[in-house]
Structures are given as structure tokens and as C-alpha cells.
């Protein structure tokens, strides 16, 4: 009888992941690349807007220059296993956040279903619904809030 092997994200801690395993936890939704607003009265509350980072492809929801992103967007946050306790600002559907919280990946995650387009088909991403950075004045981002975390 063959033994069933648990997927790597269930059997390894975040710090045990290989770099390619870590990167594969990204579901490709692109939500982390949306501009966010912090609540002045509640530092825990983060509001996501429909306004996308200038490097985000608005249809594929992937960074157009991922390896060099911090050169062009200095405040781009690099997610690492060591920063997992700080992931509460990520969307609740995010693979990084889910695994950091000890939860399983959803059925539409590419590692689960094998389809990189499933995140779009499931309506998790905002593919084709985002606004390019620069098309909305910073003072008007409030008008484009789509959800809150925290």
C-alpha cells in the first residue's frame, strides 16, 4: 500500500521551504499589489483600493518586473517566511497568509488545482477591474476602496 505524502505547505514550516516552494504559495491574485490606506484611528485596519501598483499587469495580475521591483518601487514589501507574523495586512485568501496561520490552501489555488487561471475564474483576483496607478489622484483613493482587512 502506497503512503500518501502531504503537500509541502502542510508538512514544512515556512522557514523550511525552498525558495521555489515559497514563491509558489503566491496564487497570482495581485491583491497585495493594490494601493492601500491605513485607518488613522485604527492602525489594524487596512483598506484596499482598486488602484494598482505601476508594475502590476492589470490583466495577468503579475508584476511586470518582479526581480527588479524594489528598484522601481522602493516601498514594495518583500514577503519572506521570517516576516510571517506581519502578514495580517494580506487578503484573507492569500496563500502566504493562510499557510502562516496554519490553514490549508483553497481549492482554486494553483498548487491545489493545477490551474494558474483558477484564481481569476474563481473571482478572487480583480483581473481587468483595477485602475492603473497615476490614473487616480492620491487624494481620491478613498473613492476606490474595495475591502478592509484588520
Amino acid at each position: 500500500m502506497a503512503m500518501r505524502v502531504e503537500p509541502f505547505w502542510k508538512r514544512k514550516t515556512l522557514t523550511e521551504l525552498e525558495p521555489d516552494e515559497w514563491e509558489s504559495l503566491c496564487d497570482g491574485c495581485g491583491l497585495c499589489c493594490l494601493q492601500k490606506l491605513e485607518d488613522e484611528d485604527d492602525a489594524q485596519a487596512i483598506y484596499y483600493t482598486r488602484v494598482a501598483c505601476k508594475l502590476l499587469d492589470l490583466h495577468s495580475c503579475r508584476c511586470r518586473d518582479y526581480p527588479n521591483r524594489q528598484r522601481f518601487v522602493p516601498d514594495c514589501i518583500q514577503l519572506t517566511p521570517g516576516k510571517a507574523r506581519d502578514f495580517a495586512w494580506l487578503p484573507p485568501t492569500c496563500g502566504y497568509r493562510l499557510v502562516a496561520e496554519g490553514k490549508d490552501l483553497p481549492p482554486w489555488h494553483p498548487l491545489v488545482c493545477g490551474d494558474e487561471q483558477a484564481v481569476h475564474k474563481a473571482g478572487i483576483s480583480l483581473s481587468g477591474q483595477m485602475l492603473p496607478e497615476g490614473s487616480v489622484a492620491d487624494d481620491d483613493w478613498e473613492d476606490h476602496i474595495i475591502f478592509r482587512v484588520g
Side-chain angles (χ1 to χ4, degrees):
M1 179 182 239
M3 260 182 51
R4 182 175 177 182
V5 178
E6 289 287 322
F8 69 84
W9 63 90
K10 289 184 179 183
R11 64 176 163 30
K12 292 183 176 184
T13 66
L14 289 179
T15 55
E16 293 173 329
L17 296 178
E18 297 295 327
D20 62 326
E21 292 172 327
W22 172 256
E23 290 292 330
S24 71
L25 290 178
C26 176
D27 58 31
C29 73
L31 296 178
C32 62
C33 298
L34 296 176
Q35 299 298 342
K36 296 157 212 63
L37 300 170
E38 272 187 75
D39 189 322
E40 291 177 2
D41 299 323
D42 180 2
Q44 301 282 334
I46 305 292
Y47 295 89
Y48 279 65
T49 72
R50 191 175 303 282
V51 182
C53 168
K54 66 183 177 183
L55 291 180
L56 189 68
D57 181 295
L58 303 181
H59 294 285
S60 72
C61 300
R62 294 287 186 169
C63 183
R64 286 183 273 127
D65 195 358
Y66 186 74
N68 301 303
R69 68 193 181 281
Q70 290 183 301
R71 183 170 10 144
F72 299 107
V73 182
D75 61 344
C76 179
I77 297 172
Q78 183 172 359
L79 301 176
T80 64
K83 296 180 183 176
R85 70 182 180 283
D86 300 329
F87 288 178
W89 64 270
L90 290 169
T93 56
C94 175
Y96 293 115
R97 179 176 174 176
L98 290 170
V99 172
E101 293 175 349
K103 299 175 182 172
D104 201 1
L105 298 176
W108 47 261
H109 193 286
L111 288 173
V112 176
C113 71
D115 179 3
E116 289 191 10
Q117 298 302 310
V119 68
H120 308 303
K121 294 173 190 172
I124 303 303
S125 79
L126 291 179
S127 177
Q129 302 173 55
M130 298 171 283
L131 301 169
E133 185 175 352
S135 69
V136 177
D138 295 3
D139 291 342
D140 294 335
W141 285 4
E142 254 182 45
D143 299 335
H144 299 282
I145 290 173
I146 52 173
F147 66 89
R148 170 194 162 156
V149 295

